[in-house]
Amino acid sequence: MRRYFYLLLTLYMPLSVLGQFQATSPTKVSESIQRKMAMEDVSLLKNIPAVNIGPTVMSGRVVDVEVNPSDPADFYVGYASGGLWHTTNNGTSFSAIMDDAPTQNIGDIAVDWTSGVIWVGTGENNSSRSSYAGIGLLKSMDQGKTWENIGLPDSHHIGGILINPENGNEVIVGVLGHLYSTNEQRGIYKTTDGGKTWKNSLFVDNATGVIDLIAVPGKFNLLFAATWQKERTGWNFNGSGPGSAIYRSSDSGDSWELITTVKSGFPIGEGTGRIGLAAFDSNTVYALLDNQNRRDPEKETAIKGELTKEDFQTMTAEAFLDLDNAALNDFLKKNGFQEKYRAENVKQMIRSKTVLPRDLALYLEDANSLLFDTPVIGAEVYRSDDGGTTWAKMNPNYIDDLYYSYGYYFGEIRVDASDKNKIYICGVPLLKSMDGGKQFTSLGSENVHSDHQALWVNPSRPGHLINGNDGGLNMTYDDGEHWTKLNSVSVGQFYAITVDQLQPYNVYGGLQDNGVWMGPHNAGQDTEWHASGHHPWKSILGGDGMQVQVDRRNAHIVYTGFQFGNYYRLDLENDSSTYIQPRHELGQSPYRFNWQTPILLSSHNQDILYMGSNVLHRSLNQGGDWEAISEDLTEGGVKGNVAYGTLTTISESPFKFGLLYTGSDDGLIQLTRDGGGRWEEVGRHLPLPVADQRPGPGGLWVSRVVASSHKKERVYAALNGYRWDDFHPYIFMSEDYGAHWTDIGATLPASSVNVVLEDPSNENLLYAGTDNGLYISLTRGKSWELFQNGVPNVAVHDLAIQEKEGHLVIGTHGRGIYTANISQIQALTPEILAEDLHLFKPDQIAYSAAWGTAVDSWEKPETPGLDVVFYTKKASSLEVLVRTVDGIVVSETEVAADAGLNIVSYDLAFSKGGKMAYLKKNKKDLPAAKDGKTYLPAGAYVFEISGNGTEETVAFDIKPAADQE
């Protein structure tokens, strides 16, 4: 009997990978991987698919490119949190080859082109706010079909990998180490047996790792390594220290010599930051240094007649009153002072002693200004012509506007193999020098992103470059005169997403360094836009895209912004924008806005908008005016160059206007029941284990607080320990406004939690997105099901539900956006879960005479499909049949069903016996289609599933074609 059914199954990680991970050291990371894989096997929801909807026109951060030396059209691209991709057609298309690996987070990649073996150092090495930790070294011997973890599980972040081109089993790895804490597994490790054993050949200290590792071309025995001492906390990043240095090895990495000494000419000490390396030959070696020492103030001259913030720090009142009003107004306007603060108004405040001149400097002192206004030396290029023994600085002047004050984010330098004086340095933007670093020109272009992280220079064809940046991948063959963008894969790094109420509905999202984008959820992932000139996804704001709120009454009104609370009200219909960030008063300390500032439109009134700094702001007129409805809702902030002591999440109860919760980055959860009149800190009641209480400033980052839409007293909270290198899944529920909390996340695999979401229609249904996946609870947190059919092990940053369509929208930080139809999951009540078998009613479908027929002979024929979802309490073999309402069986088969939800996809065709039985009773002409199948005519049918003594039926209709009605 022909079968016209197939059971949709989830993709599994190969069982060999499980065995490989069991062989690693018994760390929490490996235990978490094993637990997650076990959950995948038994998940009740594993057969419900999620579909990627892009976007692909923009991209995510590239960290490394590895090119086949004998065929430059064959290369691999590693994305910071988007996995490994391979092309064999010069970037025309790419294949994901790491989707079955336990992580998508990459620091460095290396390929043994002789054998095809691929090495991936997991954990990004850029040390940014969203540089996710890895799980050690992964190795694939079959072009990415399977992956083996071959060691260094506590490395967290890998700086570089070198493979001996003459011996693929000899590999040297530079380990950067933990991002937010000290650890011992740092430095340089070497294997000579393909990763079975490792030797630590260089260790500096538990705060210093290796950020770059190079071999002299043609001489693998001669190596150079750059170490980097850094310290990142939630409130500060110190990217320099005496541990930052350059080492040399003359014996293929077995031993190392410190070569940046006092006599070397290379900077050493506290201000020495990240170092990038490049070698032309055994004599000529380049180093790109992020010099964090302060500039000589005598060499810094301000533009004559132009006021700066620093001028007001020591200015007297008398001198202030003597300032030229035009110059003062120019300063006030350029620096974004509120309109009421103009020259004469401010001078009157000075006269009345309401404020002092230094208050103008204080007005601008926030974490962002501390980051960008720091007068550090910045990027410097050094060269050695004696193999690293002595060094000379090549740039006679400051290289301004390349590193600003965040050189830790860049650090790549390359030298052309045909010209030792031709070098490239990566930052903002990409620069080229033809004289060894004395002068530079920009290689920027309108279709090239400004933040550059990776660069390959063709050693055989000068001018052929492949550039990886925060916006994806670019290629040039004329040394940057013209660039081609190679973005065709969905690797967007979303911070936040939301949806509107249109049909088809739109999805909105804020992206890491790629602005805010919107597009219809059903937009096709194809290249038709190349011909039409109209891509369905479009950018609506620049910067680092952040949270988005859409007016439910008018989807053209969108509230969104970029980092540190720079938010706007957009009118998309009229292409206008209004800046709406709340501003402090002159004489007050600036508000502290988080990198991802939270905003919320009130469900009670869509003119009311909330925004969080260190206080909660409320606007009653769409952001036109603001009032602070709280005092400081944090621990008060900590001195540093990263905004801290800020609000991170806001939630308002749909049951009562003014019943509000906030969460902060330093661990506080605050509640007001009267619109801000009185606040209560309820996070102190959380049952955090004693061992997980944070030492020092603040506590765990509150990633979400969610007021229930099913019960006024109920509230959920998720806390995130990522910034403490703490990956425990903290999710809690309270039934009494936070007076008491229940831990509902303890059974999840270890991974920091970014989002928890309550289903709007089923109060028992919860969703949780972590740094390594997505989970659903059918029991209000008592147990969890892995939900990743189609989604790789990637960070899930945000979730949204489009209620009309019954869709879960999944925003990942590395693989774009996914949607999943959760209608049947939402219907899984306790009563249905208790049934042995339950069949859900399928969608109706309209008959088409084109079924099984192609418009053109070379095209595939159109084939219909009807997905029928059913739930079974236990795995079993079930009989499936389709019959007419008068009992004629038109098709039948058996399926092996998993416990939980299953999908049977029926192609609406007769079986051979079914067609004969139908024709025997119905004298109709049923011609076969061109694909050889005979499809059911319009009419009423019954879908029946039976087994284990139970039977369930559901009726469905094939509606007549529109032209037959």
Side-chain angles (χ1 to χ4, degrees):
M1 180 180 295
R2 292 185 61 186
R3 294 167 59 96
Y4 297 97
F5 301 83
Y6 61 91
L7 195 64
L8 298 182
L9 300 175
T10 187
L11 294 174
Y12 289 92
M13 186 181 301
L15 291 177
S16 59
V17 177
L18 176 59
Q20 291 152 6
F21 277 97
Q22 288 174 332
T24 63
S25 60
T27 64
K28 289 184 178 179
V29 173
S30 61
E31 292 172 1
S32 174
I33 292 169
Q34 293 177 48
R35 178 185 292 185
K36 185 176 181 182
M37 293 172 68
M39 290 181 70
E40 181 179 31
D41 191 41
V42 299
S43 173
L44 298 178
L45 310 177
K46 67 182 180 182
N47 294 322
I48 303 299
V51 179
N52 191 282
I53 64 169
T56 57
V57 67
M58 41 61 58
S59 187
R61 188 163 61 251
V62 173
V63 293
D64 198 14
V65 178
E66 288 293 320
V67 182
N68 188 336
S70 62
D71 180 9
D74 177 11
F75 58 89
Y76 293 86
V77 182
Y79 290 85
S81 56
L84 185 63
W85 297 74
H86 184 213
T87 179
T88 56
N89 54 23
N90 210 30
T92 304
S93 63
F94 291 87
S95 299
I97 63 169
M98 218 171 94
D99 279 10
D100 287 339
T103 182
Q104 298 294 297
N105 306 328
I106 297 178
D108 196 53
I109 57 178
V111 180
D112 181 356
W113 293 102
T114 301
S115 65
V117 173
I118 308 167
W119 296 72
V120 174
T122 65
E124 186 189 359
N125 60 26
N126 284 316
S127 300
S128 74
R129 290 171 175 83
S130 56
S131 292
Y132 290 106
I135 56 173
L137 281 167
L138 298 180
K139 178 182 178 182
S140 176
M141 302 184 70
D142 52 13
Q143 287 73 53
K145 295 182 178 66
T146 59
W147 293 90
E148 177 185 3
N149 189 309
I150 43 106
L152 309 181
D154 195 43
S155 57
H156 280 203
H157 301 271
I158 301 292
I161 306 173
L162 291 177
I163 303 173
N164 187 338
E166 297 180 359
N167 179 4
N169 287 321
E170 185 176 352
V171 181
I172 302 169
V173 178
V175 175
L176 188 57
H178 292 192
L179 179 55
Y180 285 94
S181 60
T182 59
N183 73 308
E184 297 296 322
Q185 199 167 86
R186 296 176 185 257
I188 293 179
Y189 290 80
K190 180 177 179 178
T191 181
T192 56
D193 54 14
K196 295 177 183 178
T197 60
W198 293 92
K199 173 191 174 184
N200 182 204
S201 60
L202 175 64
F203 176 78
V204 179
D205 57 52
N206 62 10
T208 302
V210 171
I211 183 60
D212 206 359
L213 185 62
I214 65 168
V216 171
K219 295 185 178 181
F220 189 78
N221 65 299
L222 187 53
L223 311 176
F224 293 87
T227 59
W228 184 21
Q229 181 177 340
K230 58 181 173 52
E231 181 186 29
R232 182 180 270 284
T233 64
W235 54 91
N236 192 63
F237 185 75
N238 181 5
S240 64
S244 302
I246 303 174
Y247 290 78
R248 180 177 57 200
S249 173
S250 301
D251 53 13
S252 302
D254 288 330
S255 62
W256 295 87
E257 171 194 5
L258 174 66
I259 59 175
T260 49
T261 62
V262 175
K263 297 180 180 180
S264 68
F266 195 90
I268 61 174
E270 289 293 338
T272 309
R274 178 173 175 169
I275 302 169
L277 299 171
F280 178 78
D281 56 25
S282 57
N283 292 316
T284 302
V285 184
Y286 283 93
L288 176 61
L289 170 67
D290 174 27
N291 193 329
Q292 287 291 299
N293 288 296
R294 297 302 182 257
R295 296 188 177 192
D296 184 349
E298 293 182 1
K299 295 182 180 179
E300 290 294 287
T301 56
I303 300 174
K304 187 175 180 180
E306 183 174 313
L307 293 168
T308 67
K309 180 183 68 176
E310 289 71 23
D311 292 332
F312 298 102
Q313 291 175 343
T314 58
M315 186 180 292
T316 65
E318 291 75 16
F320 188 94
L321 295 174
D322 287 338
L323 289 174
D324 177 71
N325 277 6
L328 180 55
N329 274 327
D330 187 56
F331 169 83
L332 294 169
K333 290 179 181 179
K334 284 185 176 180
N335 286 278
F337 281 73
Q338 297 178 56
E339 191 66 32
K340 63 184 178 182
Y341 296 131
R342 291 299 175 251
E344 274 306 319
N345 310 72
V346 177
K347 284 186 175 181
Q348 182 57 39
M349 297 174 75
I350 295 290
R351 293 187 190 100
S352 63
K353 299 182 180 180
T354 304
V355 297
L356 298 172
R358 65 171 178 266
D359 288 322
L360 275 76
L362 176 65
Y363 189 87
L364 301 174
E365 286 292 346
D366 58 19
N368 201 24
S369 71
L370 291 174
L371 179 63
F372 285 92
D373 295 346
T374 307
V376 298
I377 293 172
E380 292 184 312
V381 173
Y382 287 82
R383 187 168 94 178
S384 174
D385 289 311
D386 56 10
T389 302
T390 61
W391 298 81
K393 189 174 77 165
M394 302 302 291
N395 54 295
N397 302 311
Y398 294 127
I399 306 177
D400 287 325
D401 301 330
L402 178 75
Y403 273 7
Y404 298 92
S405 290
Y406 54 109
Y408 68 85
Y409 192 52
F410 305 108
E412 301 285 320
I413 183 170
R414 300 290 183 266
V415 59
D416 193 305
S418 63
D419 183 353
K420 73 174 184 179
N421 291 310
K422 185 180 180 182
I423 64 171
Y424 305 85
I425 58 176
C426 295
V428 182
L430 176 66
L431 299 181
K432 178 181 73 174
S433 174
M434 299 298 294
D435 55 13
K438 296 175 183 177
Q439 296 177 309
F440 288 92
T441 56
S442 172
L443 299 188
S445 179
E446 70 278 356
N447 67 334
V448 181
H449 196 282
S450 58
D451 289 22
H452 300 272
Q453 312 290 353
L455 184 67
W456 175 79
V457 180
N458 192 330
S460 303
R461 179 173 177 170
H464 177 202
L465 315 175
I466 302 177
N467 168 234
N469 49 65
D470 275 21
L473 202 66
N474 291 88
M475 181 184 293
T476 179
Y477 280 92
D478 54 14
D479 225 11
E481 290 293 324
H482 306 88
W483 291 91
T484 299
K485 185 173 282 294
L486 304 179
N487 288 354
S488 61
V489 298
S490 181
V491 287
Q493 296 174 296
F494 281 90
Y495 285 122
I497 58 166
T498 195
V499 297
D500 63 24
Q501 305 305 309
L502 301 178
Q503 290 185 332
Y505 68 88
N506 293 300
V507 181
Y508 306 74
L511 288 137
Q512 190 278 328
D513 214 14
N514 281 281
V516 181
W517 288 69
M518 65 173 289
H521 80 279
N522 58 354
Q525 296 294 337
D526 55 43
T527 56
E528 182 182 355
W529 68 276
H530 288 179
S532 69
H534 300 288
H535 197 279
W537 286 85
K538 65 178 182 178
S539 173
I540 59 175
L541 197 70
D544 278 84
M546 295 300 164
Q547 296 191 12
V548 188
Q549 294 282 283
V550 182
D551 194 317
R552 297 178 72 91
R553 306 162 303 184
N554 179 2
H556 295 301
I557 304 301
V558 177
Y559 300 84
T560 189
F562 55 88
Q563 61 267 39
F564 297 121
N566 289 285
Y567 277 63
Y568 296 79
R569 181 179 67 251
L570 307 180
D571 184 339
L572 301 180
E573 185 176 30
N574 296 305
D575 194 25
S576 65
S577 64
T578 304
Y579 188 66
I580 60 170
Q581 185 188 61
R583 300 304 300 267
H584 59 291
E585 299 296 328
L586 189 59
Q588 294 179 343
S589 296
Y591 295 126
R592 298 188 299 275
F593 289 95
N594 192 270
W595 176 262
Q596 298 180 52
T597 295
I599 57 171
L600 178 69
L601 275 173
S602 174
S603 61
H604 301 280
N605 185 331
Q606 293 282 279
D607 286 335
I608 298 177
L609 180 68
Y610 299 98
M611 185 183 297
S613 59
N614 54 308
V615 306
L616 185 61
H617 306 270
R618 181 178 65 196
S619 172
L620 302 178
N621 58 358
Q622 301 181 308
D625 300 287
W626 293 95
E627 59 179 330
I629 61 172
S630 75
E631 298 295 330
D632 195 331
L633 295 174
T634 76
E635 294 279 13
V638 181
K639 184 175 176 58
N641 56 22
V642 178
Y644 191 75
T646 64
L647 296 184
T648 53
T649 178
I650 308 165
S651 185
E652 183 178 38
S653 172
F655 289 99
K656 180 183 177 183
F657 175 72
L659 175 55
L660 295 157
Y661 295 88
T662 66
S664 70
D665 57 11
D666 53 10
L668 302 188
I669 300 176
Q670 305 272 11
L671 161 69
T672 180
R673 307 177 197 227
D674 55 8
R678 178 179 174 274
W679 288 89
E680 176 186 0
E681 205 285 291
V682 297
R684 66 182 185 276
H685 302 305
L686 289 168
L688 295 173
V690 174
D692 290 317
Q693 297 289 346
R694 302 298 93 191
L700 296 168
W701 182 292
V702 183
S703 54
R704 284 295 192 282
V705 59
V706 180
S708 172
S709 60
H710 296 283
K711 183 179 178 183
K712 183 168 67 172
E713 301 83 2
R714 183 178 298 154
V715 60
Y716 298 92
L719 288 84
N720 187 306
Y722 163 80
R723 291 158 188 83
W724 300 95
D725 283 333
D726 174 0
F727 308 117
H728 184 82
Y730 297 99
I731 308 179
F732 302 94
M733 178 182 67
S734 173
E735 298 282 10
D736 53 10
Y737 303 103
H740 303 86
W741 296 89
T742 301
D743 185 351
I744 61 172
T747 60
L748 289 171
S751 188
S752 300
V753 180
N754 300 309
V755 55
V756 61
L757 179 67
E758 181 191 55
D759 190 84
S761 62
N762 183 339
E763 70 172 328
N764 294 315
L765 196 56
L766 300 177
Y767 310 85
T770 76
D771 280 352
N772 195 40
L774 177 60
Y775 302 86
I776 295 180
S777 174
L778 304 172
T779 57
R780 212 180 311 155
K782 293 178 182 177
S783 61
W784 293 88
E785 310 292 331
L786 184 66
F787 187 69
Q788 282 188 228
N789 183 3
V791 183
N793 295 306
V794 65
V796 175
H797 253 247
D798 203 7
L799 300 167
I801 292 176
Q802 218 290 340
E803 296 184 44
K804 294 178 182 177
E805 296 290 339
H807 286 181
L808 176 67
V809 185
I810 306 158
T812 75
H813 197 82
R815 295 300 293 269
I817 297 175
Y818 294 78
T819 62
N821 189 326
I822 56 169
S823 300
Q824 285 79 27
I825 300 176
Q826 290 176 313
L828 286 176
T829 62
E831 292 74 21
I832 291 178
L833 289 169
E835 295 180 19
D836 291 325
L837 182 65
H838 183 89
L839 190 57
F840 295 94
K841 186 173 180 61
D843 295 332
Q844 288 188 340
I845 191 169
Y847 176 81
S848 172
W851 287 349
T853 303
V855 176
D856 298 300
S857 60
W858 56 84
E859 293 182 344
K860 291 182 179 180
E862 175 188 342
T863 54
L866 183 70
D867 288 343
V868 181
V869 182
F870 66 93
Y871 166 83
T872 179
K873 187 184 292 186
K874 61 182 180 180
S876 55
S877 178
L878 300 175
E879 183 180 1
V880 179
L881 61 83
V882 178
R883 54 180 170 83
T884 62
V885 290
D886 56 356
I888 302 173
V889 176
V890 297
S891 191
E892 59 184 315
T893 190
E894 290 186 358
V895 297
D898 295 309
L901 290 177
N902 296 265
I903 303 177
V904 173
S905 187
Y906 174 44
D907 64 1
L908 297 176
F910 285 97
S911 66
K912 183 177 180 180
K915 181 178 179 180
M916 293 176 61
Y918 186 88
L919 291 176
K920 186 175 182 180
K921 190 169 184 179
N922 299 277
K923 307 302 181 183
K924 286 187 176 182
D925 183 23
L926 291 177
K930 289 185 178 181
D931 65 355
K933 297 180 181 180
T934 301
Y935 292 95
L936 302 184
Y941 299 89
V942 175
F943 200 96
E944 181 182 298
I945 299 181
S946 60
N948 298 325
T950 61
E951 178 180 294
E952 287 287 323
T953 62
V954 63
F956 70 94
D957 294 324
I958 300 178
K959 299 171 64 177
D963 58 358
Q964 297 176 351
E965 292 181 347

